[in-house]
Amino acid sequence: MTSMEATRPLRVLQLTDPHLMASVDGALLGVNTRDSLNAVIAEVLKSRGQPDLILATGDLAQDGSEEAYRVLGDRLGVFDCGSAWLAGNHDHVEPLTKAAARHGADRRQIIQGGWQFILLDSSVPGKVFGELSESELDFLAQALAQHPDLPALVTLHHHPVDIGADWMREIGLRNREDFWQVIDRFPQVKIVLWGHIHQTHEQQRNGVQLLATPSTCIQFASGSRKFSVEDLAPGYRWFELQASGNFTTEVGRALDFEFELDQNSSGY
């Protein structure tokens, strides 16, 4: 490793909520989800180049099919780095877990570039809302206690704070207070990251940066009272993380991707 490689920031790509399907023609509200993921990946490679780590943070499949997870693994093969996959409310855990293991993407605790990454499973079978089991909360606490000197990024699928959208209030993380009681014990936590809400969200809580990211397919309208989508391009989030704990992050979008969004739907 050269001195330049040793000192440059760790580049982390978050891809979330691709909602892939077994069918090549699988679409969500008129948007072909394979095509939109392909467009986002092409945009990442054009604008950012190769990341060092990919976090795929839930609703990887709309139908929970083995084929959808196979497609995801195939698409991520264009990157020269490892990935880690999380389950969302639309995922089926068994085929996801098998596919992730084949790609080495079943890691829950990653030490890389002077950071610790902790991936939590907030999915509840058959439910849209999320919850962290006692074992997940224990895992979080133990992982953070193991590396108190490393800045940490904690990621899950469901939003652990109110995002100002009435219809999403009941489908976030149900036991968020239990989650924050653990996080508040460990000042090395710099970032809490999630998907699920199909939009950008940023706020601060006790010195921790809270972040959500656009979907690689359709986007939900921010601040909406009822289910609503908006005509924004599919996106991703990019991080550059310094071992000091400093970081920068930006959302990018595949602005050249052409699609016709069904904006009259009452759900998905």
Side-chain angles (χ1 to χ4, degrees), residues 72-88:
L72 177 66
D74 179 66
R75 296 298 188 268
L76 295 185
V78 302
F79 296 110
D80 297 332
C81 67
S83 61
W85 303 0
L86 276 178

Side-chain angles (χ1 to χ4, degrees), residues 19-24 26-28 33-34 61-63 65 67-68 71:
H19 291 268
L20 296 169
M21 305 178 203
S23 171
V24 173
L28 200 63
T33 60
R34 293 193 188 191
Q62 172 73 4
D63 57 8
S65 65
E67 176 64 9
V71 169

Side-chain angles (χ1 to χ4, degrees), residues 58-61 63-66 69 85-102 105-106 108 120-127 136 158:
D59 282 355
L60 309 181
D63 57 8
S65 65
E66 293 182 7
Y69 300 120
W85 303 0
L86 276 178
N89 50 288
H90 283 276
D91 289 304
H92 293 181
V93 173
E94 184 176 353
L96 185 157
T97 300
K98 289 181 179 178
R102 287 196 296 271
D106 55 347
R108 306 280 313 284
L120 300 176
D121 182 2
S122 60
S123 65
V124 180
K127 303 295 183 182
E136 286 297 288
H158 293 83

Side-chain angles (χ1 to χ4, degrees), residues 120-122 129-142 144 154 156 158-161 172-186 189 192 205-206:
L120 300 176
D121 182 2
S122 60
F129 65 79
E131 193 165 50
L132 293 170
S133 66
E134 281 297 322
S135 62
E136 286 297 288
L137 293 168
D138 288 345
F139 164 65
L140 172 62
Q142 291 166 11
L144 289 170
V154 176
L156 67 167
H158 293 83
H159 49 294
V161 292
L173 186 69
R174 284 284 177 93
N175 59 336
R176 60 185 61 177
E177 291 306 318
D178 295 333
F179 171 71
W180 290 118
Q181 283 178 13
V182 177
I183 295 295
D184 288 344
R185 290 163 45 197
F186 296 96
V189 177
V192 172
R205 182 189 180 279
N206 295 345

